């Protein structure tokens, strides 16, 4: 936790500089953060996965430190970005009211068991989430076994589920798990075919849809489809 670290200065200093110099022309957004598990994995490399078995107490101490570092760093990002219409714009571009945290990544759940997540990761992630008004969480389809546990974390508002190679698409994983999950708004990157095939799902719940348009005409056509099939009420 060093404000003179070059990465800290690049991210937080960059946000503050742009806000001060061009604040009349754009809304500043935060960079987001990694959860404690992901930070520890970055620090330890592949030895991290041995630590669960060989050095569990030391790993928990490292994870506690990483959770503290996440909170410290993100608080600095909030200071740099300032208030944006009563909230914050996350690293994925969504607006959250109040002191929102986002996006925060729990990618390591793709490579550990549910039991490991609940013993080592979830307590630290829960402690972090309780510090903020609302959270945008990024996870992967390969984390299916951990989705219900993660979705029950306090103050979670949005859960983005990314698709992965060699497994079911994120929307199929979400459909399979949704009845087991507490209320949380899914964020799904869908193709046109997936949108058309899952229109009833989209009508049944609040959903944030990301769509990669091939051109302006494609984007306008998709907006027209949503306006026709999913009007805002």
């Amino acid at each position: 936790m060093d404000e003179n670290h070059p990465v800290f200065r690049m991210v937080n200093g960059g946000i503050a500089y742009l806000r001060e110099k061009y604040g009349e022309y754009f809304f500043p957004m935060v960079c987001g953060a990694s959860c404690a598990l992901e930070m520890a994995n970055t620090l330890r490399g592949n030895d991290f996965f041995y630590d669960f078995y060989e050095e569990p107490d030391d790993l928990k101490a490292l994870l506690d430190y990483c959770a503290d570092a996440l909170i410290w760093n993100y608080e600095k990002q909030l200071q740099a970005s300032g208030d944006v219409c009563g909230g914050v714009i996350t690293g994925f571009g969504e607006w959250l009211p109040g002191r929102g945290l986002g996006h925060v990544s729990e990618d390591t759940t793709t490579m550990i068991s549910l039991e490991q997540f609940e013993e080592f990761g979830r307590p630290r992630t829960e402690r972090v989430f309780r510090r903020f008004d609302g959270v945008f969480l990024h996870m992967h389809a390969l984390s299916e076994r951990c989705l219900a546990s993660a979705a029950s974390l306090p103050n979670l508002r949005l859960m983005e589920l990314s698709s992965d190679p060699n497994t079911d698409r994120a929307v199929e994983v979400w459909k399979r798990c949704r009845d087991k999950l507490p209320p949380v708004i899914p964020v799904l990157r869908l193709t046109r075919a997936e949108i058309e095939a899952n229109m009833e799902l989209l009508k049944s719940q609040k959903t944030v849809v990301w769509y990669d348009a091939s051109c302006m005409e494609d984007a306008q056509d998709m907006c027209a489809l949503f306006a026709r099939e999913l009007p805002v009420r």
Side-chain angles (χ1 to χ4, degrees), residues 5-231:
H5 192 281
V7 175
F8 177 92
R9 294 173 61 188
M10 177 180 66
V11 174
N12 292 273
I15 295 171
Y17 172 79
L18 291 171
R19 175 189 171 200
E20 179 180 355
K21 193 168 182 64
Y22 301 106
E24 296 180 7
Y25 305 101
F26 85 112
F27 289 131
M29 60 190 288
V30 296
C31 179
S34 295
C35 284
L37 283 171
E38 193 169 314
M39 294 172 69
N41 187 190
T42 301
L43 291 169
R44 293 285 293 148
N46 288 336
D47 287 343
F48 167 80
F49 298 100
Y50 294 100
D51 292 339
F52 286 101
Y53 306 97
E54 297 177 351
E55 304 289 348
D57 292 337
D58 288 343
L59 177 57
K60 289 178 180 178
L62 175 59
L63 290 167
D64 286 335
Y65 177 84
C66 288
D68 291 339
L70 189 165
I71 294 169
W72 176 84
N73 182 274
Y74 193 78
E75 292 279 8
K76 296 295 184 181
Q77 290 186 43
L78 289 179
Q79 293 175 19
S81 64
D83 178 88
V84 178
C85 301
V88 60
I89 299 178
T90 75
F92 278 163
E94 277 71 21
W95 179 86
L96 289 176
R99 285 168 33 83
L101 168 63
H103 66 283
V104 62
S105 175
E106 195 71 280
D107 285 357
T108 309
T109 50
T110 62
M111 296 179 284
I112 62 175
S113 69
L114 171 61
E115 292 75 18
Q116 288 171 324
F117 173 62
E118 294 196 325
E119 179 179 353
F120 291 87
R122 195 185 191 284
R124 284 84 192 169
T125 301
E126 179 174 344
R127 177 159 63 85
V128 171
F129 283 17
R130 290 191 183 280
R131 293 288 296 266
F132 300 95
D133 298 329
V135 181
F136 183 124
L137 177 63
H138 161 77
M139 294 188 72
H140 282 256
L142 278 173
S143 301
E144 180 174 354
R145 59 192 169 275
C146 298
L147 289 185
S149 180
S152 67
L153 284 160
N155 298 330
L156 182 62
R157 299 290 179 265
L158 297 162
M159 176 186 280
E160 189 260 326
L161 199 60
S162 289
S163 293
D164 296 291
N166 304 318
T167 190
D168 293 336
R169 292 278 296 172
V171 65
E172 298 304 319
V173 172
W174 184 265
K175 286 159 62 176
R176 193 158 59 231
C177 296
R178 64 180 298 217
D179 291 339
K180 308 170 190 174
L181 305 181
V184 62
I185 299 172
V187 182
L188 301 169
R189 187 180 300 277
L190 303 178
T191 65
R192 175 177 287 271
E194 287 174 330
I195 291 170
E196 293 172 348
N198 291 283
M199 194 58 71
E200 292 307 311
L201 171 70
L202 299 178
K203 290 179 179 179
S204 70
Q205 65 179 82
K206 291 181 179 180
T207 307
V208 176
V209 175
W210 290 345
Y211 175 69
D212 296 322
S214 59
C215 60
M216 180 61 73
E217 290 76 15
D218 184 25
Q220 292 173 334
D221 184 57
M222 184 54 66
C223 288
L225 173 65
F226 270 77
R228 182 173 65 252
E229 298 292 337
L230 298 160

